[in-house]
Amino acid sequence: MPSLQDRIALVTGGARGIGRAISLRLARDGATVVINYQKNETAAAEVVAAIADHGGSAVAVQSDVSDSAAADGLVRQTVERFGRIDILVNNAGIIRDGLLVRMSDDDWDAVLNTNLRGAFACLRAALRPMARQRYGRIVNITSVSGIMGNPGQANYSAAKAGLIGLTKTAAREIAGRNVTVNAVAPGFITTELTSGLPDKVKESILGQVPIGRFGLPEEVADAVAFLVGEGSGYITGHVLTVDGGLSM
Ligand code: NDP
């Protein structure tokens, strides 16, 4: 029997990049996956179809997680439709890079609202049903930028560092209900988010990565699958880096 058989998983931003790889992986492990997207309906439909082609089960649900009411609605719809929510992966994220001295309030707010407040809102909405069912696995996708800092990413690093604090506090608050809350901190992973980096920046990053290459979305999905899988029920409040050694 697949390890996540009968589990209901919600992946925010689950249609592209790392989120797509997580959706495909959780479905492969037997979960029914609610794939949240904000704008890209075509990508979401493609992932749902790919999962169905392999005998899995998935639905796509539009929602802007930076809006608390919409995030609440996303979790509520999941529970109404499937009767429970076992796994929440807070993956949705954006960047609005720029040096701190020139960073606008809008760029700060946009990144904090999506990357931190969105995760908070989904997490808060999922805690009650998970506590009631005495089971839950939550994974927040943070970043090495939240651990090490990164020039040009004050907003992003602050949001991702905040996500680590949120992970540890939620983990402590809910641990007694058999709900774990962990974070995965990717380094540089090949997705649309990083494809726009100038070649010079990419070369300089690679020079700092001991493994000497960018990571794959599937390698982040492997870490998520481990943290939501059967063997990790005693792991909570942990930040698992998937960064080729960059942050050690
Ligand atoms: P992509 O830009 O490829 O994908 C981002 C996803 O987030 C899209 O599916 C997008 O949906 C969704 N999204 C953005 N804003 C919202 C919103 N308000 N509500 C719902 N969904 C939203 O990014 P990656 O796959 O590279 O990144 C995924 C996560 O991993 C992010 O949290 C990112 O910070 C983190 N990360 C990525 C790294 C990398 O190197 N790529 C490194 C470290 C962390 P839609 O397409 O519908 O707009």
Side-chain angles (χ1 to χ4, degrees):
M1 196 170 88
S3 59
L4 299 180
Q5 185 82 42
D6 300 328
R7 296 293 183 205
I8 307 299
L10 168 60
V11 183
T12 70
R16 288 198 293 119
I18 291 171
R20 178 180 185 275
I22 294 169
S23 296
L24 291 170
R25 174 59 195 266
L26 298 187
R28 198 181 88 199
D29 288 352
T32 293
V33 186
V34 177
I35 297 166
N36 158 251
Y37 66 97
Q38 183 191 19
K39 294 179 187 147
N40 206 324
E41 190 176 358
T42 310
E46 184 268 322
V47 188
V48 169
I51 289 172
D53 281 351
H54 287 86
S57 166
V59 294
V61 179
Q62 195 284 333
S63 177
D64 174 356
V65 296
S66 68
D67 172 347
S68 285
D72 270 351
L74 175 63
V75 173
R76 201 176 47 245
Q77 270 186 59
T78 303
V79 176
E80 280 169 8
R81 185 159 181 174
F82 297 103
R84 52 192 294 124
I85 176 169
D86 299 297
I87 296 164
L88 167 65
V89 183
N90 280 312
N91 165 78
I94 58 167
I95 49 172
R96 294 276 189 281
D97 292 355
L99 288 178
L100 195 42
V101 285
R102 286 196 292 268
M103 185 168 285
S104 69
D105 288 353
D106 281 351
D107 285 346
W108 175 269
D109 289 344
V111 169
L112 268 287
N113 285 343
T114 299
N115 298 14
L116 184 56
R117 184 195 168 99
F120 155 70
C122 291
L123 198 156
R124 179 179 58 182
L127 282 184
R128 271 210 185 89
M130 285 182 173
R132 255 199 312 273
Q133 69 199 21
R134 294 283 196 280
Y135 183 88
R137 298 285 179 263
I138 298 172
V139 178
N140 296 320
I141 306 299
T142 176
S143 165
V144 290
S145 296
I147 298 170
M148 305 167 70
N150 197 21
Q153 292 200 314
N155 48 2
Y156 185 80
S157 304
K160 294 299 190 182
L163 206 43
I164 292 174
L166 175 67
T167 299
K168 293 184 178 184
T169 296
R172 287 182 186 277
E173 287 190 8
I174 200 71
R177 302 296 176 101
N178 192 28
V179 178
T180 64
V181 189
N182 291 291
V184 168
F188 286 89
I189 309 296
T190 307
T191 69
E192 280 175 44
L193 196 97
T194 48
S195 64
L197 291 173
D199 284 345
K200 250 179 134 179
V201 176
K202 285 187 187 162
E203 270 167 39
S204 132
I205 291 164
L206 281 181
Q208 300 166 53
V209 178
I211 286 185
R213 63 171 174 84
F214 277 43
L216 301 172
E218 290 74 18
E219 291 173 310
V220 180
D222 285 342
V224 173
F226 166 68
L227 288 171
V228 305
E230 270 173 24
S232 52
Y234 200 57
I235 301 174
T236 198
H238 187 70
V239 182
L240 179 54
T241 54
V242 181
D243 65 355
L246 174 66
S247 65
M248 71 179 158

